[in-house]
Amino acid sequence: MSFFAKKPTVEEQLRQNDRVLRKTQRDLERDRTKLDKEEKKLEMEIKKAAKQGNKQACTILAKQLVQLRNQKTRSYAAGSRVGAVGNQQKLMHSNMKMATAMGTTTKTMQQMNKVMDPMKTAKVMQEFEKESTKMEMSEEMISDTLDDILTESGDEEEEDAIVSKVLDEIGIEISGKLVNAPAAHRGKLGEASSSRMTDDDIEKQLAALKDL
């Protein structure tokens, strides 16, 4: 026999115990069957002795019958105990399974808590929200600044001046060819013509240049 025999698992031990308990129950049932036969036999002998008027034999047989019936009662009680042990064993095994499952779940939660520190995660989310707000504010400020730059009041005058300068240069190069070009006038009735040209004026002058 090896001194290093493998220790049975819980499932194996449970099956082994269950086999032992079932065998015990079968043995008790066989014993009770024998006791039932003996009980019937004693009852018949007591009746026979009573008919014969043998009081002494009846007394002895009656005591044996009482003992036999007490033995049957103990046998039934033992069977109930064995059954209870079997049920208790199954309940214990079920509780062990639940405990194992809870232990596994606990380890899983511990590992997750180590990997995902709630405080650290909350801090990261706060930083993200903070930086996201900053980015939105920066984007809004940049957009507002660009809008202000692109809509400055002096931009239109500067653009008109550049266009006028280009047209003047073209007019010098084709000297006298803009004489018949339509003049651009702006302003309300009664006001002098403004030197500032509109987009329509520029288009008309360019069209006139094409016709030359």
Side-chain angles (χ1 to χ4, degrees):
M1 181 177 179
S2 175
F3 291 100
F4 301 98
K6 184 180 178 181
K7 184 179 180 180
T9 64
V10 176
E11 296 288 344
E12 292 172 345
Q13 187 64 53
L14 179 64
R15 286 194 294 270
Q16 182 178 349
N17 294 344
D18 194 49
R19 285 195 295 268
V20 172
L21 292 174
R22 286 201 303 269
K23 184 178 182 302
T24 302
Q25 288 283 31
R26 288 194 298 269
D27 291 341
L28 289 173
E29 288 174 1
R30 282 195 294 267
D31 184 61
R32 285 194 295 270
T33 301
K34 292 179 180 179
L35 292 175
D36 287 337
K37 291 180 180 180
E38 289 294 327
E39 182 180 7
K40 291 179 181 179
K41 184 179 178 181
L42 285 172
E43 289 176 352
M44 290 177 63
E45 289 179 357
I46 291 172
K47 290 178 181 179
K48 184 178 179 180
K51 288 180 179 180
Q52 294 175 352
N54 191 345
K55 182 177 180 182
Q56 184 178 2
C58 287
T59 303
I60 295 173
L61 293 172
K63 289 181 179 180
Q64 292 178 3
L65 180 62
V66 170
Q67 292 176 353
L68 189 146
R69 288 177 175 175
N70 289 337
Q71 181 61 27
K72 281 181 61 178
T73 301
R74 287 192 292 268
S75 178
Y76 279 112
S80 299
R81 292 288 183 88
V82 171
V85 169
N87 292 333
Q88 187 175 8
Q89 177 181 252
K90 292 176 182 178
L91 291 175
M92 288 177 63
H93 184 243
S94 178
N95 289 333
M96 287 177 63
K97 283 186 175 180
M98 287 191 290
T100 301
M102 293 175 67
T104 303
T105 304
T106 301
K107 289 181 180 179
T108 302
M109 290 189 293
Q110 288 174 347
Q111 292 174 354
M112 289 301 296
N113 286 332
K114 288 179 181 179
V115 175
M116 297 181 64
D117 185 356
M119 298 298 294
K120 185 177 180 180
T121 302
K123 185 177 180 181
V124 170
M125 295 302 294
Q126 290 175 356
E127 290 295 330
F128 174 83
E129 185 68 22
K130 181 180 178 181
E131 296 302 323
S132 178
T133 303
K134 284 184 180 179
M135 182 176 290
E136 291 177 0
M137 292 176 63
S138 299
E139 182 180 358
E140 185 176 353
M141 290 174 65
I142 292 173
S143 298
D144 292 343
T145 303
L146 288 174
D147 290 341
D148 292 341
I149 292 174
L150 294 176
T151 58
E152 274 191 20
S153 58
D155 285 351
E156 294 180 2
E157 286 78 1
E158 184 177 356
E159 291 173 2
D160 290 343
I162 293 173
V163 174
S164 297
K165 182 178 180 181
V166 172
L167 291 177
D168 288 342
E169 291 176 357
I170 295 173
I172 292 173
E173 291 177 1
I174 59 171
S175 58
K177 291 185 179 181
L178 287 178
V179 176
N180 296 324
H185 298 283
R186 294 186 61 188
K188 296 181 181 179
L189 185 62
E191 293 181 353
S193 297
S194 172
S195 61
R196 182 177 174 182
M197 303 178 67
T198 65
D199 292 339
D200 292 337
D201 296 332
I202 295 171
E203 291 179 2
K204 289 178 181 179
Q205 290 191 15
L206 291 174
L209 287 174
K210 292 179 181 179
D211 294 336
L212 292 178

